[in-house]
Amino acid sequence: WKEWHPGFPLSIDAHSHSDLPRDIQFDNEKGIDFILNYSKAMENLYINRFMHMFQSSWSDFADFERIFVRISNTISEYVMQHWKEDFMFGYQFLNGCNPVLIQRCTEIPKKLPVTMDMVECSLERNLTLEEEVKQGNIFIVDYELLDGVDANKTDPCTIQYLAAPICLLYKNLENKIVPIAIQLGQKPGPDNPIFLPSDATYDWLLAKIWVRSSDFHIHQTVTHLLRTHLVSEVFSIAMFRQLPAVHPLFKLLVPHMRFTIAINTKAREQLICECGLFDKANATGGGGHVQMVQKAMKDLTYSSLCFPEEIKAKGMDSKEDIPYYYYRDDGIKVWESVKSFAEDVIHIYYESDEVVCEDVELQAFIKDIYVYGMRGVKASGFPKMIRTREKLAEYLTVIIFTTSAQHAAVNFGQYDWCSWIPNAPPTMRRPPPTEKGTVTIEQIVESLPDRGRSCWHLGAVWALSQFQDNELFLGMYPDEHFVEKPVKEAMAKFRKNLDEIVSAITERNKNKKLPYYYLSPDRIPNSVAV
């Protein structure tokens, strides 16, 4: 173990990929060279011709199309055509690449002094705002975590800005989620107005762009880096340290740890290190992303990694109330089938709870995760030991689900949702507006990333969204660590369950303009390897 930054989950004690034990390195180190891959991505996307234009602004929204690669009939193209619409903005909170922040609003927070007068024209049920809240029709996304985070200062020629917005959303009569109020800072006041759909077109559009940019930062650093990559690395290190290769739980988990330590080591070497690629185009580069992970650690709890519990805690569990939340629907199906598989394997090797308690290797594994990964923080809710088969099944489900499904859900949609740059600006070059009625299209374009940063961003989201050449998807276990017949049968049952989920998702997505497929098991790699 090694501490990479104070307060982070501990990571592997290695400076570079070549320091790692050979058996956990990538087969081919060139394949994961970020510098090479991003440059290759920019060549493939034919955008390297703009690379020397750091600092130069685009001329208008249409100009962004000069680097936008048209892959027809895809989500990315749909985003480009519809990104300004309130429906599209709201939809992404449910089914975009960061579908984990939205929660039901049980009361309007004091720091967001929205009045009935402000939002009346957005409400469709002839109810007051209070009544809409009581009926469960109001939702909220709060980017408080970004408050006080330092913006990137690594380029003296470009001042970059961050905001910490609060966004109020409404479920309309069509059951669509749409924004009804946006405040761009945490402290209410005359220079922090609440922007509304009834405001001037560009005022409202810029407010939404600021929310999308803030969402991008939380997505990259908290949802993706901390809550999938770093957590999976903790599971991986603890497994290699404490479970011998003949242990059934080692055999169960090892396919879900493939290349995770390697990819994270490479990322610390080239991507998120000081002066790494992350600093080039992101407003949270240059140290802001480190502050964000440190702040986000307090919300990294065991229950928040239990998928159904986390959905419920956010008040987002009712299919009847919120019918178009495919991330939730597909995630729960995958969670259930992983859990059922974990239970089957546990029942083969542990005939009673007593056997679980007495498995010293298992207990050392659990303890390692708590002490080093979670830094021994009691409030994390991570168990120090496991006493029952039921709890063990849940714990193994958390590990397998996080390393496979959760990572897939938040990683592989990045090109779809973030390649149209006004929909996910990685940086903003003007401060958030402090008054209404002054925003022009020129001002918006000058706020958005310059040409050079746009190209880096596009190369990055494209490279991150690619599967490996020899990708192994959920339920594919070609290495045959297990030889016992009952486990082979459990695996066959698991694959059958997963195939049924694939069929159901394929059926649902038929003829949809915006299909949701990130949690389809045939698109969920076994491990965090990109």
Side-chain angles (χ1 to χ4, degrees), residues 17-18 21-34 36-37 40 258-259 262-263 266 270 468-470 529:
H17 182 263
S18 53
R22 189 68 199 94
D23 59 338
I24 62 166
Q25 288 185 23
F26 272 94
D27 309 339
N28 150 20
E29 201 186 341
K30 277 214 296 296
I32 54 145
D33 188 306
F34 288 107
L36 206 71
N37 283 353
K40 207 162 66 192
R258 184 168 176 253
F259 301 148
I263 195 76
K266 203 74 189 162
Q270 295 183 323
Q468 302 278 336
D469 292 342
N470 51 351

mmCIF file of all heavy atoms in Angstrom, residues 17-18 21-34 36-37 40 258-259 262-263 266 270 468-470 529:
data_model
loop_
_atom_site.group_PDB
_atom_site.id
_atom_site.type_symbol
_atom_site.label_atom_id
_atom_site.label_comp_id
_atom_site.label_asym_id
_atom_site.label_seq_id
_atom_site.Cartn_x
_atom_site.Cartn_y
_atom_site.Cartn_z
ATOM 1 N N HIS A 17 4.254 1.671 -14.359
ATOM 2 C CA HIS A 17 3.705 0.382 -14.793
ATOM 3 C C HIS A 17 4.786 -0.702 -14.764
ATOM 4 O O HIS A 17 4.537 -1.839 -14.369
ATOM 5 C CB HIS A 17 3.121 0.538 -16.203
ATOM 6 C CG HIS A 17 2.478 -0.696 -16.745
ATOM 7 N ND1 HIS A 17 3.122 -1.567 -17.590
ATOM 8 C CD2 HIS A 17 1.236 -1.223 -16.550
ATOM 9 C CE1 HIS A 17 2.309 -2.565 -17.893
ATOM 10 N NE2 HIS A 17 1.155 -2.377 -17.281
ATOM 11 N N SER A 18 6.007 -0.337 -15.141
ATOM 12 C CA SER A 18 7.077 -1.348 -15.206
ATOM 13 C C SER A 18 7.534 -1.824 -13.823
ATOM 14 O O SER A 18 8.166 -2.873 -13.703
ATOM 15 C CB SER A 18 8.268 -0.803 -15.998
ATOM 16 O OG SER A 18 8.656 0.448 -15.462
ATOM 17 N N PRO A 21 4.424 -6.148 -10.436
ATOM 18 C CA PRO A 21 4.688 -7.565 -10.701
ATOM 19 C C PRO A 21 4.215 -7.905 -12.114
ATOM 20 O O PRO A 21 3.166 -7.426 -12.554
ATOM 21 C CB PRO A 21 3.813 -8.290 -9.666
ATOM 22 C CG PRO A 21 3.493 -7.271 -8.629
ATOM 23 C CD PRO A 21 3.570 -5.924 -9.265
ATOM 24 N N ARG A 22 4.994 -8.723 -12.795
ATOM 25 C CA ARG A 22 4.718 -9.008 -14.207
ATOM 26 C C ARG A 22 3.289 -9.513 -14.438
ATOM 27 O O ARG A 22 2.635 -9.160 -15.429
ATOM 28 C CB ARG A 22 5.745 -10.050 -14.708
ATOM 29 C CG ARG A 22 5.740 -10.296 -16.215
ATOM 30 C CD ARG A 22 6.249 -9.074 -16.995
ATOM 31 N NE ARG A 22 5.840 -9.132 -18.405
ATOM 32 C CZ ARG A 22 4.749 -8.554 -18.883
ATOM 33 N NH1 ARG A 22 3.932 -7.881 -18.114
ATOM 34 N NH2 ARG A 22 4.460 -8.637 -20.169
ATOM 35 N N ASP A 23 2.791 -10.346 -13.499
ATOM 36 C CA ASP A 23 1.482 -10.972 -13.763
ATOM 37 C C ASP A 23 0.296 -10.016 -13.619
ATOM 38 O O ASP A 23 -0.828 -10.374 -13.958
ATOM 39 C CB ASP A 23 1.278 -12.214 -12.875
ATOM 40 C CG ASP A 23 1.348 -11.867 -11.400
ATOM 41 O OD1 ASP A 23 1.948 -10.834 -11.055
ATOM 42 O OD2 ASP A 23 0.794 -12.629 -10.572
ATOM 43 N N ILE A 24 0.521 -8.802 -13.118
ATOM 44 C CA ILE A 24 -0.613 -7.859 -13.109
ATOM 45 C C ILE A 24 -0.381 -6.701 -14.074
ATOM 46 O O ILE A 24 -1.169 -5.750 -14.123
ATOM 47 C CB ILE A 24 -0.939 -7.330 -11.686
ATOM 48 C CG1 ILE A 24 0.217 -6.548 -11.086
ATOM 49 C CG2 ILE A 24 -1.356 -8.474 -10.766
ATOM 50 C CD1 ILE A 24 -0.183 -5.738 -9.855
ATOM 51 N N GLN A 25 0.694 -6.755 -14.848
ATOM 52 C CA GLN A 25 0.913 -5.737 -15.881
ATOM 53 C C GLN A 25 0.019 -6.016 -17.084
ATOM 54 O O GLN A 25 -0.474 -7.127 -17.268
ATOM 55 C CB GLN A 25 2.376 -5.757 -16.356
ATOM 56 C CG GLN A 25 3.363 -5.213 -15.341
ATOM 57 C CD GLN A 25 4.777 -5.150 -15.908
ATOM 58 O OE1 GLN A 25 4.987 -5.094 -17.119
ATOM 59 N NE2 GLN A 25 5.760 -5.162 -15.022
ATOM 60 N N PHE A 26 -0.136 -4.981 -17.924
ATOM 61 C CA PHE A 26 -0.811 -5.181 -19.206
ATOM 62 C C PHE A 26 0.034 -6.092 -20.084
ATOM 63 O O PHE A 26 1.260 -6.058 -20.013
ATOM 64 C CB PHE A 26 -1.001 -3.844 -19.930
ATOM 65 C CG PHE A 26 -2.272 -3.170 -19.549
ATOM 66 C CD1 PHE A 26 -2.297 -2.232 -18.533
ATOM 67 C CD2 PHE A 26 -3.461 -3.478 -20.195
ATOM 68 C CE1 PHE A 26 -3.481 -1.613 -18.172
ATOM 69 C CE2 PHE A 26 -4.647 -2.868 -19.830
ATOM 70 C CZ PHE A 26 -4.664 -1.930 -18.829
ATOM 71 N N ASP A 27 -0.643 -6.854 -20.950
ATOM 72 C CA ASP A 27 0.085 -7.732 -21.868
ATOM 73 C C ASP A 27 0.983 -6.886 -22.773
ATOM 74 O O ASP A 27 2.072 -7.263 -23.134
ATOM 75 C CB ASP A 27 -0.889 -8.491 -22.794
ATOM 76 C CG ASP A 27 -1.985 -9.167 -21.989
ATOM 77 O OD1 ASP A 27 -1.757 -9.373 -20.791
ATOM 78 O OD2 ASP A 27 -3.059 -9.463 -22.551
ATOM 79 N N ASN A 28 0.439 -5.713 -23.123
ATOM 80 C CA ASN A 28 1.155 -4.914 -24.103
ATOM 81 C C ASN A 28 1.075 -3.474 -23.635
ATOM 82 O O ASN A 28 0.042 -2.843 -23.709
ATOM 83 C CB ASN A 28 0.468 -5.148 -25.456
ATOM 84 C CG ASN A 28 0.563 -3.941 -26.376
ATOM 85 O OD1 ASN A 28 1.420 -3.071 -26.185
ATOM 86 N ND2 ASN A 28 -0.319 -3.870 -27.351
ATOM 87 N N GLU A 29 2.185 -2.983 -23.106
ATOM 88 C CA GLU A 29 2.132 -1.670 -22.451
ATOM 89 C C GLU A 29 1.775 -0.550 -23.423
ATOM 90 O O GLU A 29 1.157 0.440 -23.057
ATOM 91 C CB GLU A 29 3.460 -1.354 -21.745
ATOM 92 C CG GLU A 29 3.233 -0.290 -20.680
ATOM 93 C CD GLU A 29 4.502 0.219 -20.006
ATOM 94 O OE1 GLU A 29 5.532 -0.464 -20.083
ATOM 95 O OE2 GLU A 29 4.424 1.297 -19.414
ATOM 96 N N LYS A 30 2.144 -0.718 -24.676
ATOM 97 C CA LYS A 30 1.820 0.324 -25.658
ATOM 98 C C LYS A 30 0.322 0.550 -25.746
ATOM 99 O O LYS A 30 -0.148 1.651 -25.947
ATOM 100 C CB LYS A 30 2.358 -0.066 -27.049
ATOM 101 C CG LYS A 30 3.822 0.283 -27.256
ATOM 102 C CD LYS A 30 4.115 0.678 -28.699
ATOM 103 C CE LYS A 30 3.887 -0.480 -29.657
ATOM 104 N NZ LYS A 30 4.805 -1.621 -29.411
ATOM 105 N N GLY A 31 -0.428 -0.543 -25.568
ATOM 106 C CA GLY A 31 -1.878 -0.444 -25.690
ATOM 107 C C GLY A 31 -2.513 0.504 -24.689
ATOM 108 O O GLY A 31 -3.615 0.993 -24.899
ATOM 109 N N ILE A 32 -1.803 0.779 -23.584
ATOM 110 C CA ILE A 32 -2.425 1.667 -22.598
ATOM 111 C C ILE A 32 -1.602 2.909 -22.364
ATOM 112 O O ILE A 32 -1.684 3.522 -21.314
ATOM 113 C CB ILE A 32 -2.653 0.975 -21.241
ATOM 114 C CG1 ILE A 32 -1.356 0.381 -20.728
ATOM 115 C CG2 ILE A 32 -3.773 0.013 -21.285
ATOM 116 C CD1 ILE A 32 -1.246 0.457 -19.240
ATOM 117 N N ASP A 33 -0.801 3.277 -23.343
ATOM 118 C CA ASP A 33 -0.073 4.533 -23.194
ATOM 119 C C ASP A 33 -1.037 5.675 -23.506
ATOM 120 O O ASP A 33 -1.443 5.865 -24.644
ATOM 121 C CB ASP A 33 1.117 4.531 -24.168
ATOM 122 C CG ASP A 33 2.010 5.720 -23.926
ATOM 123 O OD1 ASP A 33 1.489 6.851 -23.937
ATOM 124 O OD2 ASP A 33 3.219 5.520 -23.718
ATOM 125 N N PHE A 34 -1.446 6.415 -22.474
ATOM 126 C CA PHE A 34 -2.457 7.465 -22.676
ATOM 127 C C PHE A 34 -1.998 8.512 -23.684
ATOM 128 O O PHE A 34 -2.763 8.967 -24.528
ATOM 129 C CB PHE A 34 -2.788 8.173 -21.355
ATOM 130 C CG PHE A 34 -3.582 7.340 -20.403
ATOM 131 C CD1 PHE A 34 -3.000 6.810 -19.263
ATOM 132 C CD2 PHE A 34 -4.917 7.069 -20.648
ATOM 133 C CE1 PHE A 34 -3.742 6.034 -18.379
ATOM 134 C CE2 PHE A 34 -5.665 6.291 -19.776
ATOM 135 C CZ PHE A 34 -5.076 5.784 -18.639
ATOM 136 N N LEU A 36 0.040 8.231 -26.118
ATOM 137 C CA LEU A 36 -0.046 7.645 -27.455
ATOM 138 C C LEU A 36 -1.509 7.529 -27.900
ATOM 139 O O LEU A 36 -1.869 7.912 -29.015
ATOM 140 C CB LEU A 36 0.576 6.238 -27.391
ATOM 141 C CG LEU A 36 1.162 5.665 -28.653
ATOM 142 C CD1 LEU A 36 2.452 6.430 -28.985
ATOM 143 C CD2 LEU A 36 1.508 4.186 -28.442
ATOM 144 N N ASN A 37 -2.349 7.010 -26.995
ATOM 145 C CA ASN A 37 -3.747 6.773 -27.354
ATOM 146 C C ASN A 37 -4.501 8.065 -27.651
ATOM 147 O O ASN A 37 -5.316 8.122 -28.559
ATOM 148 C CB ASN A 37 -4.472 6.013 -26.243
ATOM 149 C CG ASN A 37 -4.104 4.548 -26.252
ATOM 150 O OD1 ASN A 37 -3.408 4.096 -27.166
ATOM 151 N ND2 ASN A 37 -4.539 3.803 -25.256
ATOM 152 N N LYS A 40 -3.306 9.343 -30.907
ATOM 153 C CA LYS A 40 -3.869 8.491 -31.962
ATOM 154 C C LYS A 40 -5.347 8.827 -32.166
ATOM 155 O O LYS A 40 -5.835 8.910 -33.291
ATOM 156 C CB LYS A 40 -3.710 7.025 -31.547
ATOM 157 C CG LYS A 40 -3.636 6.053 -32.704
ATOM 158 C CD LYS A 40 -3.041 4.711 -32.245
ATOM 159 C CE LYS A 40 -3.976 4.019 -31.249
ATOM 160 N NZ LYS A 40 -3.373 2.880 -30.564
ATOM 161 N N ARG A 258 -8.781 -7.781 -13.314
ATOM 162 C CA ARG A 258 -7.832 -7.817 -14.419
ATOM 163 C C ARG A 258 -7.440 -6.409 -14.871
ATOM 164 O O ARG A 258 -8.283 -5.600 -15.242
ATOM 165 C CB ARG A 258 -8.512 -8.580 -15.564
ATOM 166 C CG ARG A 258 -7.674 -8.827 -16.785
ATOM 167 C CD ARG A 258 -8.419 -9.836 -17.662
ATOM 168 N NE ARG A 258 -7.747 -10.085 -18.928
ATOM 169 C CZ ARG A 258 -8.183 -9.632 -20.095
ATOM 170 N NH1 ARG A 258 -9.280 -8.901 -20.173
ATOM 171 N NH2 ARG A 258 -7.520 -9.927 -21.196
ATOM 172 N N PHE A 259 -6.157 -6.125 -14.817
ATOM 173 C CA PHE A 259 -5.560 -4.866 -15.310
ATOM 174 C C PHE A 259 -5.929 -3.605 -14.521
ATOM 175 O O PHE A 259 -5.557 -2.500 -14.925
ATOM 176 C CB PHE A 259 -5.906 -4.620 -16.794
ATOM 177 C CG PHE A 259 -5.439 -5.701 -17.727
ATOM 178 C CD1 PHE A 259 -6.162 -6.004 -18.872
ATOM 179 C CD2 PHE A 259 -4.281 -6.419 -17.467
ATOM 180 C CE1 PHE A 259 -5.740 -7.004 -19.746
ATOM 181 C CE2 PHE A 259 -3.847 -7.425 -18.343
ATOM 182 C CZ PHE A 259 -4.576 -7.710 -19.477
ATOM 183 N N ALA A 262 -2.910 -1.979 -12.975
ATOM 184 C CA ALA A 262 -2.081 -1.498 -14.091
ATOM 185 C C ALA A 262 -2.632 -0.200 -14.679
ATOM 186 O O ALA A 262 -1.885 0.768 -14.886
ATOM 187 C CB ALA A 262 -1.986 -2.574 -15.172
ATOM 188 N N ILE A 263 -3.938 -0.144 -14.942
ATOM 189 C CA ILE A 263 -4.502 1.065 -15.574
ATOM 190 C C ILE A 263 -4.383 2.259 -14.631
ATOM 191 O O ILE A 263 -4.083 3.373 -15.040
ATOM 192 C CB ILE A 263 -5.963 0.852 -16.051
ATOM 193 C CG1 ILE A 263 -6.379 1.978 -17.018
ATOM 194 C CG2 ILE A 263 -6.967 0.828 -14.917
ATOM 195 C CD1 ILE A 263 -5.807 1.847 -18.396
ATOM 196 N N LYS A 266 -0.793 3.518 -14.508
ATOM 197 C CA LYS A 266 -0.524 4.269 -15.735
ATOM 198 C C LYS A 266 -1.176 5.657 -15.670
ATOM 199 O O LYS A 266 -0.596 6.654 -16.109
ATOM 200 C CB LYS A 266 -1.087 3.464 -16.905
ATOM 201 C CG LYS A 266 -0.452 3.765 -18.223
ATOM 202 C CD LYS A 266 0.938 3.183 -18.326
ATOM 203 C CE LYS A 266 1.590 3.712 -19.587
ATOM 204 N NZ LYS A 266 3.032 3.579 -19.599
ATOM 205 N N GLN A 270 0.724 9.258 -16.094
ATOM 206 C CA GLN A 270 0.598 10.140 -17.266
ATOM 207 C C GLN A 270 -0.610 11.065 -17.244
ATOM 208 O O GLN A 270 -0.596 12.113 -17.875
ATOM 209 C CB GLN A 270 0.436 9.269 -18.534
ATOM 210 C CG GLN A 270 1.629 8.420 -18.865
ATOM 211 C CD GLN A 270 1.384 7.668 -20.173
ATOM 212 O OE1 GLN A 270 0.276 7.231 -20.472
ATOM 213 N NE2 GLN A 270 2.434 7.527 -20.962
ATOM 214 N N GLN A 468 -11.351 -2.753 -24.895
ATOM 215 C CA GLN A 468 -10.054 -3.357 -25.224
ATOM 216 C C GLN A 468 -10.231 -4.308 -26.420
ATOM 217 O O GLN A 468 -11.327 -4.804 -26.660
ATOM 218 C CB GLN A 468 -9.545 -4.201 -24.036
ATOM 219 C CG GLN A 468 -9.394 -3.445 -22.745
ATOM 220 C CD GLN A 468 -8.095 -2.677 -22.674
ATOM 221 O OE1 GLN A 468 -7.129 -3.011 -23.332
ATOM 222 N NE2 GLN A 468 -8.081 -1.629 -21.890
ATOM 223 N N ASP A 469 -9.131 -4.594 -27.108
ATOM 224 C CA ASP A 469 -9.212 -5.513 -28.256
ATOM 225 C C ASP A 469 -9.715 -6.894 -27.838
ATOM 226 O O ASP A 469 -10.501 -7.516 -28.522
ATOM 227 C CB ASP A 469 -7.822 -5.686 -28.909
ATOM 228 C CG ASP A 469 -7.389 -4.386 -29.576
ATOM 229 O OD1 ASP A 469 -8.274 -3.532 -29.817
ATOM 230 O OD2 ASP A 469 -6.183 -4.217 -29.828
ATOM 231 N N ASN A 470 -9.215 -7.368 -26.694
ATOM 232 C CA ASN A 470 -9.570 -8.733 -26.271
ATOM 233 C C ASN A 470 -10.480 -8.666 -25.051
ATOM 234 O O ASN A 470 -10.284 -9.395 -24.091
ATOM 235 C CB ASN A 470 -8.286 -9.504 -25.940
ATOM 236 C CG ASN A 470 -7.404 -8.706 -24.968
ATOM 237 O OD1 ASN A 470 -7.684 -7.530 -24.690
ATOM 238 N ND2 ASN A 470 -6.358 -9.323 -24.436
ATOM 239 N N ALA A 529 -10.503 -1.634 -16.767
ATOM 240 C CA ALA A 529 -9.233 -1.809 -17.477
ATOM 241 C C ALA A 529 -9.005 -0.704 -18.508
ATOM 242 O O ALA A 529 -8.137 -0.801 -19.356
ATOM 243 C CB ALA A 529 -9.201 -3.170 -18.155
#
